[in-house]
């Protein structure tokens, strides 16, 4: 497929849209004043019109104003030291709607109700985060930084490669939507990280629980929505420069951004670059097949890497809505510890005097995307159209003679996967009245994957995913919200046949059949029912959700048959796999009483034909391929719960804890399922000062995680002991005249604890996670008004 032609087509459509968009004068407005409950005026409050991603700041008298077209809108007000406030309003044609807001000392005005009303639509729990979260909790990757959210974990390979896990489910069961388009980057692989720049994320939503109704097959376990960046106020320019340094692996990075809006046109751009060396662990040996091998200087050789991301967008905002075109290119070149690939060789483990070189084995990833987003207002209704193209090129490097395989033209490229994806979403939200709302949607996705390299894991394949859905909500009064939804889908998988070249007698090359040609058609449905009841306004609400979801097997599960060295195993598919079907029940309740807030959730999932990668008791017959893992199906149960609570004994001090627990069972073997995160408790103490001498907006926090032992494992899967982990953080702002400088310091694994992460691929070699690490960030934001 010629992606240049697709780029030209999308760009042409976008420009035409601009030309025909200069119509319809704005004829309604939203305005108001923001104060405290004791009538103090609040200037510089950040006000966002969420449907249009439009923002403004209150002036010196606390006033703000938006010019809009008739429709249903959500306003969000954010101010330092206060909880954010959300207000939903309906604007009629030609109307002037006054919305005055008062901030209380511990303000939570209707947020729980709003969140749960949306959650009831897709059997989920939503957690919202912004860019400040990633600046204060920056780990090695975007997915790893999300682990502070209760119920979210990460599967990782070292410090530079990770993917999210929600309530114990990952891989093709978690959808990551980036600017309205599902991120497609070979997410079936445990060693395939997300191609996401964590410093380029302005705001995200994490949906816990099955979301197949809204997002289709791969959202069986949940979704991570990376929302489009906020549009800054009219005739302004904003820029920032962020620098980061990490001591453990001499990580140096920077991220520079600029955004502007001139009249109705807006733009933003970001460039990020990270360069890191081999990282250190609190261990001097590791174990391979009962052999104890050295880790020189407590440093894992060949774990250095480079990451680069470029993103730019251009858009138009009018009374009819927003249209924007976004281009991005993500690049990663990361080494893989030599002891984790094939049989460890002593010369490959010896130090070479260069902590930053990237040797073989390694992986190199280029991810290109072009996305066109449209968010339109039609009277009180809303129409969203997202179209995207992605090209993910993954190359994994090794040496042919390690594996007794004939070389190819690209002699050191062991595995190359070139995935191209074209996708589109259309969503129409009909706000019938204050009681009824309907959402109609449809989606389409086409993929083609081509392979190369001297190793074989996957054949060439193609997939098609398409479907349509409806869900509606009914709010008979201020206490009840009822919802229901239905989705119908069609899917198609096709893969080529493939024969593997190997050395035969007298070094002759022979071809062994590996995979037969296969094509499959699937028809499925998802359904949901939800109820949200407010027992006491602004204090206590209760939610029940029921759902039926599904997931179509991916070609990696039906056609794989070869070495996957990045995960230290031979992976084998099963051609006749059936779709998974899941049935969900979720109960949750939110309580806010004075300075205490708590959310408790219990969930249960019953899966028919659950697909998983089973660690067999065999070793691959291929040289240095490791243990044989095969995709199999079984009926299974996933259940668990989460508890989040926080208490503010005084306005400056916040105490918080998050408990998470996932329990599952293979109903055929009565054993646990592999890659299940252990239960854990995350405790945090945070203290904030508005001003201390010449310092402003200071915070200090200490975080402790206790991870329980994971003893419920699959057959031939090792157990993981319990551990304690202590982190600390400090941040503040310095004002030099009108310029503000933000500084943050983190101490990760403060006690240099040697612990094993159950979801790490290095765990099977008994290699602990990264040791003590100090992280320093410095951010310089700039903002200018244009005449």
């Amino acid at each position: 497929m010629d992606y240049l032609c697709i780029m030209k087509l999308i760009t042409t459509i976008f420009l035409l849209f601009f030309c025909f968009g200069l119509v319809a004068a704005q004829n309604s407005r939203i305005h108001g004043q923001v104060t405290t409950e004791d009538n103090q005026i609040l200037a510089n409050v950040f006000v966002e019109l969420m449907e249009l991603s439009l923002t403004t700041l209150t002036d010196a008298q606390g006033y703000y104003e938006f010019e809009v077209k008739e429709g249903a809108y959500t306003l969000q007000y954010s101010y330092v030291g206060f909880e954010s406030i959300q207000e939903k309003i309906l604007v009629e044609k030609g109307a002037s709607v006054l919305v005055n807001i008062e901030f209380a000392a511990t303000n939570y005005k209707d947020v729980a109700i709003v969140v749960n009303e949306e959650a009831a639509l897709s059997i989920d729990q939503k957690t919202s985060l912004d860019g400040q979260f990633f600046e204060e909790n920056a780990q090695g990757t975007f997915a790893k930084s999300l682990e502070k959210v209760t119920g979210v974990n990460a599967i990782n390979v070292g410090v530079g490669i990770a993917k999210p896990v929600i309530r114990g489910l990952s891989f093709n069961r978690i959808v990551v939507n980036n600017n309205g388009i599902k991120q497609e980057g070979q997410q079936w692989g445990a060693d395939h990280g997300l191609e996401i720049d964590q410093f380029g994320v302005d705001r995200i939503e994490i949906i816990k629980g099955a979301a197949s109704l809204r997002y289709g097959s791969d959202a069986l376990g949940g979704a991570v929505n990376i929302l489009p960046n906020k549009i800054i106020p009219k005739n302004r320019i904003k820029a920032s420069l962020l620098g980061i340094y990490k001591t453990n692996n001499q990580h140096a990075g920077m991220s520079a951004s600029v955004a502007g809006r001139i009249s109705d046109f807006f733009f933003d751009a970001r460039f990020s670059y990270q360069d890191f060396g081999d990282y250190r662990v609190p261990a001097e040996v590791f174990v391979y097949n009962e052999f104890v091998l050295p880790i020189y200087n407590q440093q894992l050789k060949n774990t250095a890497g480079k990451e680069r991301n470029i993103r730019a967008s251009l858009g138009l905002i009018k009374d009819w809505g927003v249209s924007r075109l976004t281009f991005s290119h993500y690049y990663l070149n990361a080494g893989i510890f030599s002891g984790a690939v094939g049989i460890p060789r002593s010369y490959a483990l010896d130090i070479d005097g260069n902590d930053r070189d990237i040797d073989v084995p390694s992986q190199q990833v280029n991810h290109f995307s072009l996305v066109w987003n449209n968010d339109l207002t039609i009277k009180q209704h809303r129409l969203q159209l997202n179209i995207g193209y992605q090209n993910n090129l993954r190359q994994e490097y090794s040496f042919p003679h390690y594996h007794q395989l004939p070389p190819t033209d690209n002699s050191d490229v062991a595995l190359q996967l070139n995935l191209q994806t074209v996708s589109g979403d259309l969503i129409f939200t009909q706000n019938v009245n204050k009681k009824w709302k309907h959402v109609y949607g449809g989606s389409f996705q086409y993929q083609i994957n081509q392979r190369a390299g001297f190793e074989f894991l996957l054949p060439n394949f193609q997939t098609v995913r398409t479907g349509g859905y409806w869900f509606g909500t009914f709010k008979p009064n201020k206490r009840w919200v009822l919802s229901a939804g239905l989705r119908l889908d069609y899917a198609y998988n096709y893969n080529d046949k493939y024969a593997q070249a190997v050395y035969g007698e007298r070094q002759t090359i022979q071809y062994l059949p590996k995979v037969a040609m296969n094509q499959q058609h699937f028809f499925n449905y998802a359904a949901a029912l939800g109820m949200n009841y407010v027992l006491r306004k602004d204090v206590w609400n209760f939610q029940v959700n029921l759902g039926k979801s599904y997931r179509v097997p991916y070609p990696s599960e039906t056609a794989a048959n070869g070495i996957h060295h990045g995960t230290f195993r031979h992976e084998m598919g099963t051609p006749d796999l059936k779709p998974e079907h899941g049935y969900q029940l979720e109960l949750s309740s939110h309580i806010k009483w004075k300075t205490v807030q708590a959310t408790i959730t219990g969930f249960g999932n019953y899966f028919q034909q659950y697909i998983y990668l089973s660690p067999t008791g065999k070793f691959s017959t291929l040289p240095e391929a490791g243990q044989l893992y095969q995709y199999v199906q079984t009926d299974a149960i996933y259940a668990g719960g989460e508890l989040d609570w926080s208490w503010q004994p005084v306005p400056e001090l916040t105490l918080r804890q998050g408990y998470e627990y996932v329990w599952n069972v293979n109903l055929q073997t009565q054993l646990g399922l592999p890659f299940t995160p252990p239960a854990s408790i995350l405790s945090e103490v945070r203290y904030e000062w508005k001003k201390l001498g010449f310092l402003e907006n200071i915070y200090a926090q200490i975080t402790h995680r206790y991870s329980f032992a994971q003893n419920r494992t699959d057959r031939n899967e090792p157990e993981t002991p319990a551990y304690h982990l202590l982190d600390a953080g400090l941040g503040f702002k310095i004002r030099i005249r009108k310029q503000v400088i933000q500084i943050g310091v983190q101490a990760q694994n403060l006690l240099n604890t040697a612990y094993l992460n159950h979801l790490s691929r290095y765990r099977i070699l008994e290699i602990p996670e990264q040791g003590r690490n100090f992280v320093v960030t410095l951010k310089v934001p700039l903002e200018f008004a244009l005449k």
Side-chain angles (χ1 to χ4, degrees), residues 412-427:
D412 57 347
V413 178
L415 188 64
Q416 177 174 296
L417 301 171
N418 190 357
L419 179 67
Q420 298 185 76
T421 306
V422 177
S423 54
D425 272 314
L426 183 66
I427 307 165

Side-chain angles (χ1 to χ4, degrees), residues 243-246 249-254 273-277 356:
I244 184 168
Y245 181 76
K246 304 179 183 181
N249 58 348
Q250 307 300 303
H251 177 126
M254 57 80 65
Y273 182 78
Q274 317 290 323
D275 189 312
F276 51 93
R356 309 188 81 85

Side-chain angles (χ1 to χ4, degrees), residues 33-83:
Q33 186 182 35
V34 182
T35 61
T36 63
E37 59 185 352
D38 54 358
N39 293 322
Q40 293 184 9
I41 292 171
L42 291 180
N44 296 317
V45 176
F46 189 85
V47 187
E48 180 182 3
L49 196 62
M50 300 186 70
E51 283 75 10
L52 300 179
S53 297
L54 190 59
T55 63
T56 190
L57 295 172
T58 56
D59 62 18
Q61 301 303 315
Y63 290 106
Y64 69 95
E65 181 176 346
F66 292 106
E67 293 183 345
V68 297
K69 196 177 179 181
E70 60 181 311
Y73 297 100
T74 303
L75 291 163
Q76 179 162 296
Y77 305 81
S78 303
Y79 192 66
V80 176
F82 294 88
E83 295 275 3

Side-chain angles (χ1 to χ4, degrees), residues 471-760:
F471 62 73
T473 57
F474 175 57
K475 192 174 181 180
N477 53 51
K478 293 183 179 180
R479 289 187 178 269
W480 289 92
V481 177
L482 307 175
S483 66
L486 179 67
R487 180 185 181 102
L488 302 176
D489 268 272
Y490 164 74
Y492 170 73
N493 289 347
Y494 167 84
N495 68 262
D496 290 343
K497 63 180 181 180
Y498 183 79
Q500 174 72 57
V502 297
Y503 280 124
E505 294 182 359
R506 299 178 181 178
Q507 295 296 298
T508 59
I509 295 177
Q510 299 177 352
Y511 289 89
L512 302 179
K514 287 282 255 178
V515 177
M517 187 272 288
N518 187 29
Q519 58 180 339
Q520 294 174 290
H521 301 268
F522 306 94
F523 294 91
N524 291 281
Y525 77 95
L529 292 172
M531 179 274 290
N532 187 76
Y533 178 67
V534 179
L535 287 87
R536 184 177 176 185
K537 186 179 179 182
D538 299 339
V539 177
W540 190 9
N541 76 294
F542 179 74
Q543 181 181 330
V544 180
N545 293 302
L546 288 169
K548 188 272 177 187
S549 57
Y550 69 93
R551 189 179 76 86
V552 173
Y554 200 67
S556 60
E557 297 164 321
T558 59
N561 187 9
I563 306 170
H564 197 190
H565 281 302
T567 54
F568 195 57
R569 62 194 177 208
H570 179 141
E571 296 182 3
M572 181 178 291
T574 302
D576 56 350
L577 292 177
K578 308 299 182 187
E580 297 176 353
H581 294 276
Y583 302 87
Q584 291 84 28
L585 169 65
E586 183 175 301
L587 306 173
S588 66
S589 182
H590 179 84
I591 298 174
K592 186 218 177 268
W593 183 71
K594 295 184 178 178
T595 59
V596 177
Q597 297 185 44
T599 300
I600 184 169
T601 303
F603 60 89
N605 301 279
Y606 169 63
F607 293 110
Q608 292 178 324
Q609 303 292 342
Y610 181 84
I611 302 170
Y612 73 101
L613 193 57
S614 174
T616 71
K618 302 177 182 178
F619 275 81
S620 171
T621 56
L622 296 174
E624 302 193 29
Q627 191 175 356
L628 178 65
Y629 284 63
Q630 184 167 10
Y631 287 99
V632 297
Q633 288 192 295
T634 186
D635 292 347
I637 292 176
Y638 264 84
E642 295 147 14
L643 170 62
D644 268 302
W645 68 264
S646 65
W647 176 39
Q648 285 185 293
V650 294
E652 297 82 8
L653 177 64
T654 302
L655 309 177
R656 175 184 174 268
Q657 267 192 330
Y659 301 79
E660 59 186 24
Y661 176 66
V662 176
W663 179 91
N664 57 40
V665 61
N666 181 330
L667 293 178
Q668 183 176 352
T669 65
Q670 298 302 308
L671 298 173
L673 290 162
F675 314 117
T676 301
S680 71
I681 303 174
L682 183 69
S683 306
E684 182 179 271
V685 179
R686 182 182 175 106
Y687 196 88
E688 297 180 349
W689 299 263
K690 289 187 177 180
K691 194 171 181 62
L692 186 63
F694 62 92
L695 304 180
E696 300 178 4
N697 303 126
I698 312 112
Y699 75 88
Q701 63 185 31
I702 297 178
T703 305
H704 172 263
R705 181 184 292 276
Y706 177 70
S707 181
F708 292 83
Q710 181 54 283
N711 299 320
R712 283 191 54 80
T713 58
D714 197 5
R715 189 176 289 117
N716 305 305
E717 183 189 23
E719 298 177 353
T720 304
Y723 63 85
H724 294 267
L725 198 62
L726 188 66
D727 294 346
L730 173 69
F732 52 85
K733 295 180 181 179
I734 300 175
R735 185 176 299 275
I736 303 175
R737 295 184 180 178
K738 294 184 178 181
Q739 182 58 52
V740 174
I741 300 175
Q742 300 174 208
I743 298 175
V745 180
Q746 294 181 62
Q748 299 168 351
N749 193 0
L750 187 60
L751 302 181
N752 203 34
T753 303
Y755 69 98
L756 298 178
N757 181 352
H758 189 74
L759 300 182
S760 170

Side-chain angles (χ1 to χ4, degrees), residues 1 6 172 176 181-188 217-218 367 388-392 418-424 444-450 458-466 491-495 552-556:
M1 181 177 296
I6 297 174
N172 283 80
V176 177
I181 293 297
K182 178 181 161 189
Q183 183 89 358
E184 289 289 356
Q186 311 286 0
Q187 59 265 36
W188 49 267
S217 168
D218 288 355
H367 187 89
Y389 168 78
Q390 299 172 77
N391 184 12
N392 185 276
N418 190 357
L419 179 67
Q420 298 185 76
T421 306
V422 177
S423 54
F444 172 82
Q445 178 180 284
Y446 171 75
Q447 286 186 324
I448 181 170
N449 189 79
Q450 296 175 307
L458 280 174
N460 296 335
F461 67 80
Q462 299 178 41
T463 70
V464 174
R465 304 285 188 267
T466 185
Y492 170 73
N493 289 347
Y494 167 84
N495 68 262
V552 173
Y554 200 67
S556 60

